[in-house]
Each structure stands twice: as structure tokens, then as C-alpha cells.
Amino acid sequence: MADLFDGYVLGQQWDEMFCAVGDPRPAYAGLFASLQPIDGEELAARADLLSQTYRDAGVTFAHAGEEQPFPLDIVPRVIGADEWDVIERGVAQRVLALEAFLADVYGAGQVFADRVVPRSVVTTSAHFHRQAHGLVPPNGVRVHVSGIDLVRDEAGDFRVLEDNLRSPSGVSYVITNRAAMSQVLPELFADHRIQPVDDYPTRLLAALKASAPSNVADPTVVVLTPGVYNSAYFEHALLARQMGVELVEGRDLVCAGNQVSMRTTDGQRRVDVIYRRIDDEFLDPVHFRPDSVIGCAGVLNAARTGRVTIANAVGNGVADDKLLYTWVPDLVRYYLGEEPVLQNAETYRLDDRDTVEWVLESLDQLVLKPVDGSGGKGIVIGPRADEKTLVELAVKVRATPRDWIAQKPIGLSTCPTLVGGRIAPRHVDLRPFAVNDGEKVWVLPGGLTRVALPEGELVVNSSQGGGSKDTWVLSPPRPVGDGDVGDPARDLTTVEFTPADLPDEPSVPDPGPLNDNALAQAQQQQQLSEPQGGAGC
């Protein structure tokens, strides 16, 4: 029987599984041993079953204008307890600093008076909304859900690529990946103590209820979706169902007297918290785009008067602008009085003439990113770009340097991946998801690992042909003498994989006659309809 890892070649990047060929890192020792008895044909057959499971269940994403099954690689990614402790602390720290920054931006503005961040960085951001100024959430939380994109550099250190604080997407894949993997490779779960991910909907619902107006004893929470034509609709439906709340569209809501209600068969019912998956610009046609047909007129006024909570808050995008990203380490020190646990990638602001000129001379050695880009779109990886692309890029950068940041390339870490019937290294990143209930920032153990499936590719986004992996966070060893040591199942992830978890067709109202404007606006909500990130840089 041929070894699954025969021919596995280590590159210069950090490999997640191996220190050297055939020598697994401690966190991967158990997985490596468990995979050894499985031959290539059997693993490929199980991978086909995994793919068929997703196809039948309707776990899809939009790629090249078509709905396709989301590729899930059968070899999981493993993160040891000590490494996860660093990630968990670093993500929570970053979220708290950005929460404080947003409160300051839409409040007193002390961060500008103290010259920590130039006011112009905020006022020139496309996602700064003066309409949110002075709007204070009931429990002070603006970033109820966040996704912090991480990569591991050549030295094995995790670095932050970007922060996603508007409507970070992809957690549905974390939940469904685990459910599917536990059915296709149950023996692997029996041999590992893996922290569970299935309590995310419960945590999210508790955080949303905690953010409700203070005078509401039993808050009504809804998930607001752009509609069935949006590429992330599967996630919206999954979260609503697992939280046990209503999934609504803008046309299901009505705002009168600064009170938001939803239409039901029994009449109108008050809404206290809206977990919206609609971009700011389309949320309220009174304050933003007047042509929006997928939002709810007056909802921002209702939030201002404290009658409803919008999660995540309007205007959060100013804090995940990629230019502001370069100041986040300073914000951690300023607001928390701490040193950052997680470092940024090495990044250059194009805020002075000398830096701009140096970047223009070094385009073939750098990675250029548009500050408000998403989904890997607009990124130019200099060392891989042709001359025509670099010339066009230089024109854009020189015309509007505020719209770009430059980064030195990072060799994204690689992880064993089943490709064409064999195991080969492929580049990966990681998006941990954090939920803030106002008392604590809880980080979902593992998050979404995205993998670039083409050989040598650095862009991991699904819109660019990437896939995902189930991400295992190992529980720390139990202390010797633990009274429950005879019950190993206590620490194992157990997931029942049923049609209820992955519906063949989400139960939704008839969308009615196709309205070109509604369709276009629903599809336009791509800013975070898939996990962001981009190149390993």
C-alpha cells in the first residue's frame, strides 16, 4: 500500500503538518497516524462522498455566475491548544480595540485630538457614515460579530491580514464542514479531542439578545437578508433556523413611529434586534440609497431612538478599511494599554510622496491592495504580474494613492490537501469568528480555513476558485487525576448530520415576480457575501 504522503514536497513556506518530510508537528501527530492506514483510493472515495453530501444538501457559493458546491477538502487543519490560546487572545484584543475606536469615531473623537489617527483617514473612507454619529448602541456593542483574517508567515507566526467588522461571512461553512466531516471520517474524531463548533448559533443569539433595547424583557430577533438571489443566502437561512428566529427581507419589515415591526400572518409583531446581512448603503432608503428596495425605510431613526438594535452597527466599515488597518496596533496600545498579541503583515501607507514613489518603483516586488476591496478582487501580486498590469496599476496608484496599501509578500503556510487523487501542499489562511455580548469576546474554536486549490495560487477566496477545510482546535490535555478521565467522550465533538442541518431547499416565502432592481440589489451585496481576504500578502 502506497503511503498517502509519498511525493509530498515541502517548500520554503511553513508547512502546517510537517517539520520535515514524514515528521509531523506535535498537533498533527495523531492525524498523521490516523490517515496512514487509509489508502489513496479509499480517501478519494470518501472525498467524493463528502462532495456529494454538499451537493445534495445545497451548500453552495457563487462562482463565475453559477451556484456550485463549496469545495471542502477532506484533510482537516489542526491547531494545537497553545497556538489557539495566542489566536484567541489576539483576536479578542483586536476586537475590543476596534470597538473602542468605533465608539470614539462616532462619539467624542478623542483619538483624533490625541493625534493617534489622522481625522482625514476616517473622513475619506467610503464606509464612514455621518448618519451614525451620536448613535449609541444599548449595551455599547457595535461589533457583535467579526472575522479576523490571519495567515502564518515563513517563521510560523500568525499575522493579521485584515479585519472584517461589517457582516463577516463564512461561519455556515465552519458548522457544515464539521457536520459533514464527522460523518465521512468518524474514526478521526474518535481519536482526537476536538473543541466543538456547534454552539455558535446559541452564542450568537445570546449576544444579539444582550444587545436589545434595555426595556425589553424577551427580545425578538430577526435575520435580515437581501433575498434568495444573494450568493450567501444559504448562510442567512442556516443561522436563522439554528437560532430559531425569523428570516426576513426588507419588504417583511415596516417602521412606524420609530418602531420596527415584521408582518406575520397574525398581524405585525415588534422587532427588537435586526441581525442584518445587508450593506449600509442599502439598509435604509431614507438615509442612504433612496432607490433601495431591499432595506427598511426609517430603521436608522428607530435605532437612534433606542427602539431597535442593528447588528452589526451602521458605519463599522470605517474600522475595517485597509488603510485604518495599518493603525490598529497603535489603537491597541492607545485604548487598552497593551502590546498587540498578533502583529500585522508588513504594510506601507501611501500617505507621503516619498513612499508613493518608492512603491511605484517597487511594484514588481510588492502586493498592492485596494483599501475597500473584498473577495480578493483588485489585488495585484507584483512578483507574478505582467508588465501591462503593473503599468496600469502605476497609473491608478499615482492618481489616487489613498485608495491603496502596499505589502511585502508573505509566503502563506501550506497544508496537505487532496488534489487529483494525491496529497499535495496548498496555501491556506484562517478566519476566526468572534462574538461580542458586551461582557466577553468569545472566539469560535477554529474558524474557517480557506485553501487555494490551484498549485502555487495565493488567492484563497471561493470566488477565485478556492475551497475550505474543517479546522480542528485540540483541547488542552486534562490534568492528571481528573475525575472524568474514564469518560473520553466528554471532550469529543459529536455532530448529528441530518437534513435539518443542511436543507435540500431552504424554506422561504415565494419571492414573487422577479424584479430586476431587487435582483440586482440582492446580488450587489457581495461586500461580505463570501469570506474576504485575498492574497497571501
Side-chain angles (χ1 to χ4, degrees):
M1 179 176 65
D3 191 311
L4 273 176
F5 298 94
D6 281 351
Y8 191 86
V9 178
L10 296 179
Q12 296 181 345
Q13 296 82 14
W14 180 276
D15 191 83
E16 296 290 330
M17 180 179 278
F18 294 109
C19 302
V21 175
D23 182 16
R25 301 185 190 280
Y28 277 90
L31 177 63
F32 182 68
S34 297
L35 288 175
Q36 289 298 92
I38 304 176
D39 64 36
E41 290 186 2
E42 180 183 352
L43 191 65
R46 296 205 197 188
D48 289 342
L49 176 61
L50 196 63
S51 178
Q52 187 62 47
T53 298
Y54 261 30
R55 186 177 294 106
D56 293 344
V59 184
T60 63
F61 72 104
H63 177 51
E66 298 180 3
E67 287 294 318
Q68 300 182 9
F70 190 62
L72 169 60
D73 183 58
I74 198 166
V75 182
R77 180 187 193 166
V78 183
I79 300 175
D82 290 342
E83 286 186 321
W84 181 249
D85 178 67
V86 173
I87 293 173
E88 187 175 40
R89 289 187 293 109
V91 167
Q93 178 192 61
R94 203 166 175 102
V95 170
L96 290 174
L98 290 168
E99 280 275 16
F101 173 72
L102 284 166
D104 206 356
V105 165
Y106 292 110
Q110 194 61 42
V111 70
F112 308 129
D114 290 340
R115 299 179 182 278
V116 179
V117 175
R119 188 182 297 271
S120 62
V121 170
V122 168
T123 57
T124 58
S125 171
H127 305 295
F128 171 63
H129 297 307
R130 289 176 173 81
Q131 298 91 328
H133 189 271
L135 200 164
V136 180
N139 68 340
V141 176
R142 288 172 167 80
V143 188
H144 305 80
V145 181
S146 54
I148 310 299
D149 289 350
L150 308 177
V151 295
R152 199 198 290 264
D153 64 19
E154 296 88 345
D157 297 322
F158 283 100
R159 290 182 175 268
V160 179
L161 265 191
E162 65 182 57
D163 308 287
N164 300 288
L165 312 179
R166 285 170 274 173
S167 300
S169 188
V171 74
S172 59
Y173 299 131
V174 177
I175 297 169
T176 53
N177 285 356
R178 180 63 53 85
M181 285 285 293
S182 69
Q183 296 303 303
V184 174
L185 285 169
E187 66 271 34
L188 297 188
F189 288 84
D191 296 335
H192 295 81
R193 297 175 60 229
I194 307 163
Q195 295 191 37
V197 300
D198 54 343
D199 57 344
Y200 178 86
T202 302
R203 295 271 192 168
L204 175 58
L205 180 61
L208 294 173
K209 286 187 172 183
S211 73
S214 56
N215 60 343
V216 178
D218 185 19
T220 297
V221 178
V222 298
V223 176
L224 175 60
T225 176
V228 297
Y229 305 113
N230 181 258
S231 64
Y233 182 79
F234 169 80
E235 174 156 308
H236 309 162
L238 179 75
L239 291 177
R241 184 175 63 255
Q242 294 202 351
M243 287 193 291
V245 305
E246 294 293 333
L247 178 68
V248 301
E249 297 180 31
R251 62 185 176 176
D252 300 319
L253 301 179
V254 59
C255 184
N258 290 328
Q259 177 65 62
V260 180
S261 302
M262 63 177 163
R263 298 182 175 94
T264 74
T265 54
D266 296 323
Q268 293 185 5
R269 179 183 176 189
R270 189 192 72 234
V271 172
D272 304 299
V273 181
I274 300 173
Y275 178 42
R276 53 78 175 247
R277 300 302 295 263
I278 291 178
D279 295 348
D280 288 350
E281 291 76 11
F282 293 87
L283 182 62
D284 186 339
V286 172
H287 291 279
F288 299 109
R289 288 185 53 156
D291 64 335
S292 174
V293 296
I294 60 174
C296 174
V299 68
L300 192 59
N301 287 343
R304 187 176 296 282
T305 59
R307 306 288 292 276
V308 72
T309 298
I310 300 172
N312 283 352
V314 171
N316 277 11
V318 73
D320 64 24
D321 183 301
K322 292 184 180 68
L323 181 58
L324 191 280
Y325 154 92
T326 65
W327 272 280
V328 174
D330 296 324
L331 297 180
V332 170
R333 299 182 187 99
Y334 177 69
Y335 290 113
L336 306 182
E338 302 170 355
E339 283 300 311
V341 174
L342 296 170
Q343 300 298 321
N344 283 1
E346 188 175 349
T347 307
Y348 302 94
R349 307 170 191 142
L350 308 189
D351 55 0
D352 67 75
R353 185 183 300 275
D354 289 343
T355 302
V356 172
E357 292 303 321
W358 176 79
V359 166
L360 289 172
E361 293 171 359
S362 310
L363 288 178
D364 60 342
Q365 304 168 41
L366 299 170
V367 176
L368 272 290
K369 293 182 178 180
V371 297
D372 61 352
S374 64
K377 299 179 180 67
I379 292 175
V380 177
I381 303 175
R384 300 187 173 201
D386 57 36
E387 185 175 353
K388 180 176 181 292
T389 300
L390 293 178
V391 169
E392 293 173 349
L393 175 63
V395 172
K396 295 177 183 177
V397 171
R398 190 177 294 279
T400 56
R402 164 62 176 85
D403 294 347
W404 299 86
I405 59 170
Q407 293 180 331
K408 287 195 172 179
I410 292 177
L412 262 67
S413 62
T414 57
C415 195
T417 303
L418 185 65
V419 181
R422 65 185 184 90
I423 299 290
R426 290 294 185 267
H427 295 292
V428 294
D429 75 350
L430 176 66
R431 171 176 287 185
F433 292 89
V435 175
N436 186 3
D437 64 5
E439 298 292 330
K440 178 184 178 182
V441 176
W442 174 76
V443 184
L444 174 67
L448 179 66
T449 289
R450 296 176 297 176
V451 54
L453 297 176
E455 184 174 1
E457 180 59 73
L458 295 173
V459 178
V460 299
N461 302 81
S462 58
S463 60
Q464 307 297 314
S468 72
K469 288 175 172 287
D470 189 14
T471 308
W472 294 0
V473 173
L474 302 183
S475 296
R478 283 179 292 190
V480 176
D482 190 324
D484 293 329
V485 75
D487 181 19
R490 188 190 72 163
D491 296 304
L492 297 178
T493 294
T494 56
V495 182
E496 292 297 327
F497 189 60
T498 69
D501 292 313
L502 297 174
D504 290 329
E505 191 65 40
S507 177
V508 297
D510 182 353
L514 181 62
N515 179 297
D516 289 343
N517 195 22
L519 171 60
Q521 291 185 8
Q523 292 177 330
Q524 213 167 347
Q525 309 297 300
Q526 301 302 314
Q527 179 262 116
L528 289 169
S529 65
E530 65 146 324
Q532 291 186 52
C537 38

